[in-house]
Short mmCIF file of all heavy atoms in Angstrom, two decimals:
data_model
loop_
_atom_site.label_atom_id
_atom_site.label_comp_id
_atom_site.label_asym_id
_atom_site.label_seq_id
_atom_site.Cartn_x
_atom_site.Cartn_y
_atom_site.Cartn_z
N LEU A 1382 11.35 4.55 -11.42
CA LEU A 1382 11.70 5.95 -11.17
C LEU A 1382 12.88 6.05 -10.21
O LEU A 1382 13.69 6.97 -10.32
CB LEU A 1382 10.49 6.70 -10.61
CG LEU A 1382 9.30 6.83 -11.56
CD1 LEU A 1382 8.16 7.60 -10.90
CD2 LEU A 1382 9.70 7.51 -12.86
N GLY A 1383 12.97 5.11 -9.27
CA GLY A 1383 14.11 5.11 -8.37
C GLY A 1383 15.42 4.88 -9.11
O GLY A 1383 16.42 5.55 -8.85
N PHE A 1384 15.42 3.95 -10.06
CA PHE A 1384 16.62 3.72 -10.88
C PHE A 1384 16.94 4.95 -11.71
O PHE A 1384 18.11 5.29 -11.92
CB PHE A 1384 16.42 2.51 -11.79
CG PHE A 1384 16.85 1.22 -11.17
CD1 PHE A 1384 15.92 0.34 -10.64
CD2 PHE A 1384 18.19 0.88 -11.11
CE1 PHE A 1384 16.31 -0.86 -10.06
CE2 PHE A 1384 18.60 -0.32 -10.54
CZ PHE A 1384 17.66 -1.19 -10.01
N PHE A 1385 15.90 5.63 -12.22
CA PHE A 1385 16.13 6.83 -13.01
C PHE A 1385 16.78 7.92 -12.17
O PHE A 1385 17.74 8.58 -12.61
CB PHE A 1385 14.80 7.34 -13.57
CG PHE A 1385 14.90 8.63 -14.32
CD1 PHE A 1385 15.54 8.70 -15.55
CD2 PHE A 1385 14.37 9.79 -13.80
CE1 PHE A 1385 15.64 9.88 -16.24
CE2 PHE A 1385 14.47 10.99 -14.48
CZ PHE A 1385 15.11 11.04 -15.70
N VAL A 1386 16.31 8.11 -10.94
CA VAL A 1386 16.90 9.11 -10.05
C VAL A 1386 18.34 8.72 -9.70
O VAL A 1386 19.25 9.57 -9.73
CB VAL A 1386 16.05 9.26 -8.77
CG1 VAL A 1386 16.77 10.13 -7.74
CG2 VAL A 1386 14.70 9.87 -9.11
N LEU A 1387 18.56 7.45 -9.38
CA LEU A 1387 19.91 6.99 -9.04
C LEU A 1387 20.87 7.21 -10.19
O LEU A 1387 22.00 7.70 -10.01
CB LEU A 1387 19.86 5.50 -8.66
CG LEU A 1387 21.20 4.82 -8.39
CD1 LEU A 1387 21.87 5.44 -7.17
CD2 LEU A 1387 21.01 3.32 -8.19
N THR A 1388 20.44 6.86 -11.41
CA THR A 1388 21.30 7.03 -12.58
C THR A 1388 21.56 8.50 -12.86
O THR A 1388 22.68 8.88 -13.22
CB THR A 1388 20.66 6.36 -13.80
OG1 THR A 1388 20.29 5.02 -13.47
CG2 THR A 1388 21.62 6.34 -14.97
N SER A 1389 20.56 9.34 -12.70
CA SER A 1389 20.74 10.78 -12.93
C SER A 1389 21.74 11.36 -11.94
O SER A 1389 22.61 12.16 -12.31
CB SER A 1389 19.39 11.51 -12.80
OG SER A 1389 18.47 11.03 -13.74
N PHE A 1390 21.62 10.96 -10.67
CA PHE A 1390 22.60 11.40 -9.67
C PHE A 1390 24.00 10.96 -10.07
O PHE A 1390 24.95 11.77 -10.08
CB PHE A 1390 22.23 10.81 -8.31
CG PHE A 1390 21.64 11.80 -7.36
CD1 PHE A 1390 20.38 11.58 -6.81
CD2 PHE A 1390 22.32 12.95 -7.00
CE1 PHE A 1390 19.81 12.48 -5.94
CE2 PHE A 1390 21.76 13.86 -6.13
CZ PHE A 1390 20.50 13.62 -5.59
N ALA A 1391 24.15 9.68 -10.39
CA ALA A 1391 25.47 9.14 -10.69
C ALA A 1391 26.08 9.80 -11.93
O ALA A 1391 27.27 10.14 -11.95
CB ALA A 1391 25.37 7.63 -10.89
N GLU A 1392 25.27 9.98 -12.98
CA GLU A 1392 25.77 10.59 -14.20
C GLU A 1392 26.27 12.01 -13.96
O GLU A 1392 27.32 12.41 -14.46
CB GLU A 1392 24.67 10.60 -15.27
CG GLU A 1392 24.59 9.34 -16.08
CD GLU A 1392 25.71 9.25 -17.09
OE1 GLU A 1392 25.85 10.16 -17.92
OE2 GLU A 1392 26.44 8.25 -17.05
N THR A 1393 25.51 12.79 -13.21
CA THR A 1393 25.88 14.19 -13.00
C THR A 1393 27.10 14.32 -12.09
O THR A 1393 27.98 15.15 -12.35
CB THR A 1393 24.70 14.97 -12.42
OG1 THR A 1393 23.52 14.67 -13.16
CG2 THR A 1393 24.95 16.46 -12.49
N ILE A 1394 27.15 13.52 -11.04
CA ILE A 1394 28.33 13.55 -10.16
C ILE A 1394 29.57 13.14 -10.94
O ILE A 1394 30.64 13.76 -10.82
CB ILE A 1394 28.11 12.65 -8.94
CG1 ILE A 1394 27.04 13.26 -8.02
CG2 ILE A 1394 29.42 12.47 -8.17
CD1 ILE A 1394 26.68 12.38 -6.84
N TRP A 1395 29.42 12.10 -11.77
CA TRP A 1395 30.56 11.66 -12.58
C TRP A 1395 30.99 12.77 -13.54
O TRP A 1395 32.18 12.96 -13.78
CB TRP A 1395 30.21 10.40 -13.35
CG TRP A 1395 31.24 10.05 -14.38
CD1 TRP A 1395 31.15 10.23 -15.72
CD2 TRP A 1395 32.54 9.52 -14.13
NE1 TRP A 1395 32.31 9.83 -16.34
CE2 TRP A 1395 33.18 9.38 -15.38
CE3 TRP A 1395 33.22 9.13 -12.98
CZ2 TRP A 1395 34.47 8.87 -15.50
CZ3 TRP A 1395 34.49 8.63 -13.11
CH2 TRP A 1395 35.10 8.50 -14.35
N SER A 1396 30.03 13.49 -14.12
CA SER A 1396 30.39 14.55 -15.07
C SER A 1396 31.20 15.65 -14.39
O SER A 1396 32.13 16.19 -14.98
CB SER A 1396 29.12 15.13 -15.70
OG SER A 1396 28.37 15.88 -14.75
N ILE A 1397 30.84 15.97 -13.14
CA ILE A 1397 31.58 17.00 -12.41
C ILE A 1397 32.99 16.50 -12.10
O ILE A 1397 33.98 17.25 -12.23
CB ILE A 1397 30.82 17.38 -11.13
CG1 ILE A 1397 29.48 18.02 -11.50
CG2 ILE A 1397 31.65 18.32 -10.26
CD1 ILE A 1397 28.59 18.31 -10.30
N LEU A 1398 33.11 15.24 -11.69
CA LEU A 1398 34.44 14.67 -11.47
C LEU A 1398 35.21 14.61 -12.78
O LEU A 1398 36.43 14.83 -12.81
CB LEU A 1398 34.31 13.25 -10.90
CG LEU A 1398 33.77 13.14 -9.47
CD1 LEU A 1398 33.54 11.68 -9.11
CD2 LEU A 1398 34.73 13.78 -8.47
N HIS A 1399 34.52 14.34 -13.87
CA HIS A 1399 35.16 14.21 -15.18
C HIS A 1399 35.81 15.52 -15.61
O HIS A 1399 36.98 15.56 -16.02
CB HIS A 1399 34.13 13.76 -16.21
CG HIS A 1399 34.67 13.62 -17.59
ND1 HIS A 1399 34.66 14.65 -18.50
CD2 HIS A 1399 35.24 12.57 -18.22
CE1 HIS A 1399 35.21 14.24 -19.62
NE2 HIS A 1399 35.56 12.98 -19.49
N ILE A 1400 35.07 16.62 -15.51
CA ILE A 1400 35.60 17.89 -16.02
C ILE A 1400 36.70 18.42 -15.11
O ILE A 1400 37.63 19.10 -15.59
CB ILE A 1400 34.45 18.93 -16.15
CG1 ILE A 1400 34.95 20.16 -16.92
CG2 ILE A 1400 33.91 19.33 -14.81
CD1 ILE A 1400 33.85 21.15 -17.23
N ASN A 1401 36.65 18.10 -13.82
CA ASN A 1401 37.64 18.66 -12.90
C ASN A 1401 38.88 17.80 -12.73
O ASN A 1401 39.97 18.33 -12.45
CB ASN A 1401 36.99 18.88 -11.52
CG ASN A 1401 35.98 20.01 -11.53
OD1 ASN A 1401 36.32 21.14 -11.84
ND2 ASN A 1401 34.74 19.71 -11.19
N TYR A 1402 38.74 16.49 -12.90
CA TYR A 1402 39.86 15.61 -12.60
C TYR A 1402 40.26 14.71 -13.77
O TYR A 1402 41.45 14.53 -14.02
CB TYR A 1402 39.51 14.72 -11.39
CG TYR A 1402 39.27 15.50 -10.13
CD1 TYR A 1402 37.98 15.71 -9.64
CD2 TYR A 1402 40.33 16.05 -9.42
CE1 TYR A 1402 37.75 16.43 -8.48
CE2 TYR A 1402 40.12 16.78 -8.26
CZ TYR A 1402 38.83 16.97 -7.80
OH TYR A 1402 38.61 17.69 -6.66
N LEU A 1403 39.28 14.14 -14.47
CA LEU A 1403 39.61 13.15 -15.47
C LEU A 1403 40.07 13.76 -16.79
O LEU A 1403 40.95 13.22 -17.46
CB LEU A 1403 38.40 12.24 -15.72
CG LEU A 1403 38.70 10.96 -16.51
CD1 LEU A 1403 39.72 10.11 -15.76
CD2 LEU A 1403 37.43 10.15 -16.75
N MET A 1404 39.49 14.90 -17.17
CA MET A 1404 39.86 15.53 -18.44
C MET A 1404 41.35 15.85 -18.52
O MET A 1404 42.00 15.58 -19.55
CB MET A 1404 39.03 16.77 -18.68
CG MET A 1404 37.62 16.50 -19.20
SD MET A 1404 37.61 15.84 -20.89
CE MET A 1404 37.95 17.32 -21.82
N PRO A 1405 41.97 16.43 -17.47
CA PRO A 1405 43.43 16.67 -17.54
C PRO A 1405 44.23 15.38 -17.74
O PRO A 1405 45.23 15.38 -18.46
CB PRO A 1405 43.75 17.33 -16.19
CG PRO A 1405 42.46 17.97 -15.77
CD PRO A 1405 41.40 17.04 -16.25
N LEU A 1406 43.79 14.30 -17.10
CA LEU A 1406 44.48 13.02 -17.27
C LEU A 1406 44.31 12.49 -18.69
O LEU A 1406 45.24 11.91 -19.27
CB LEU A 1406 43.96 12.00 -16.26
CG LEU A 1406 44.18 12.33 -14.78
CD1 LEU A 1406 43.60 11.23 -13.90
CD2 LEU A 1406 45.67 12.52 -14.48
N GLN A 1407 43.12 12.69 -19.27
CA GLN A 1407 42.90 12.23 -20.64
C GLN A 1407 43.75 13.01 -21.63
O GLN A 1407 44.25 12.44 -22.60
CB GLN A 1407 41.41 12.36 -21.00
CG GLN A 1407 40.53 11.31 -20.34
CD GLN A 1407 39.09 11.45 -20.75
OE1 GLN A 1407 38.60 12.55 -20.98
NE2 GLN A 1407 38.38 10.33 -20.83
N ARG A 1408 43.91 14.30 -21.38
CA ARG A 1408 44.76 15.11 -22.28
C ARG A 1408 46.20 14.60 -22.26
O ARG A 1408 46.87 14.56 -23.29
CB ARG A 1408 44.69 16.58 -21.88
CG ARG A 1408 43.30 17.20 -22.07
CD ARG A 1408 43.32 18.70 -21.82
NE ARG A 1408 41.97 19.24 -21.91
CZ ARG A 1408 41.25 19.64 -20.87
NH1 ARG A 1408 41.76 19.56 -19.65
NH2 ARG A 1408 40.04 20.11 -21.04
N GLU A 1409 46.66 14.21 -21.07
CA GLU A 1409 48.01 13.66 -20.99
C GLU A 1409 48.09 12.31 -21.70
O GLU A 1409 49.06 12.01 -22.40
CB GLU A 1409 48.42 13.50 -19.52
CG GLU A 1409 48.76 14.81 -18.82
CD GLU A 1409 50.02 15.44 -19.40
OE1 GLU A 1409 50.97 14.68 -19.70
OE2 GLU A 1409 50.05 16.67 -19.55
N ALA A 1410 47.06 11.49 -21.52
CA ALA A 1410 47.07 10.16 -22.11
C ALA A 1410 47.05 10.21 -23.63
O ALA A 1410 47.66 9.36 -24.30
CB ALA A 1410 45.89 9.35 -21.60
N LEU A 1411 46.38 11.22 -24.21
CA LEU A 1411 46.24 11.29 -25.66
C LEU A 1411 47.53 11.71 -26.35
O LEU A 1411 47.57 11.75 -27.58
CB LEU A 1411 45.11 12.24 -26.03
CG LEU A 1411 43.70 11.72 -25.71
CD1 LEU A 1411 42.65 12.73 -26.12
CD2 LEU A 1411 43.45 10.39 -26.40
N LYS A 1412 48.56 12.01 -25.59
CA LYS A 1412 49.87 12.23 -26.22
C LYS A 1412 50.44 10.92 -26.76
O LYS A 1412 51.33 10.93 -27.61
CB LYS A 1412 50.84 12.85 -25.20
CG LYS A 1412 50.44 14.26 -24.76
CD LYS A 1412 51.42 14.79 -23.74
CE LYS A 1412 51.03 16.20 -23.29
NZ LYS A 1412 51.96 16.74 -22.26
N ASP A 1413 49.92 9.81 -26.25
CA ASP A 1413 50.33 8.49 -26.72
C ASP A 1413 49.48 8.12 -27.94
O ASP A 1413 48.25 8.08 -27.85
CB ASP A 1413 50.13 7.47 -25.60
CG ASP A 1413 50.59 6.07 -26.00
OD1 ASP A 1413 51.04 5.90 -27.15
OD2 ASP A 1413 50.49 5.17 -25.16
N PRO A 1414 50.09 7.85 -29.10
CA PRO A 1414 49.31 7.51 -30.30
C PRO A 1414 48.40 6.30 -30.11
O PRO A 1414 47.32 6.25 -30.69
CB PRO A 1414 50.40 7.23 -31.35
CG PRO A 1414 51.60 7.97 -30.87
CD PRO A 1414 51.54 7.92 -29.38
#
């Protein structure tokens, strides 16, 4: 259960970082075929 809580925390924090910071970088990167 400790691993489950740790993974849930990490996944959700990463998702928030993803939508705010990583998605704009991915949109720029996808201009490259």
Side-chain angles (χ1 to χ4, degrees):
L1382 295 180
F1384 270 101
F1385 175 71
V1386 171
L1387 175 64
T1388 309
S1389 300
F1390 254 122
E1392 273 285 303
T1393 313
I1394 291 176
W1395 169 256
S1396 70
I1397 296 174
L1398 291 173
H1399 179 269
I1400 191 174
N1401 289 301
Y1402 298 104
L1403 193 60
M1404 281 292 284
L1406 297 179
Q1407 286 182 327
R1408 294 187 184 107
E1409 286 293 321
L1411 289 180
K1412 294 178 180 179
D1413 182 359

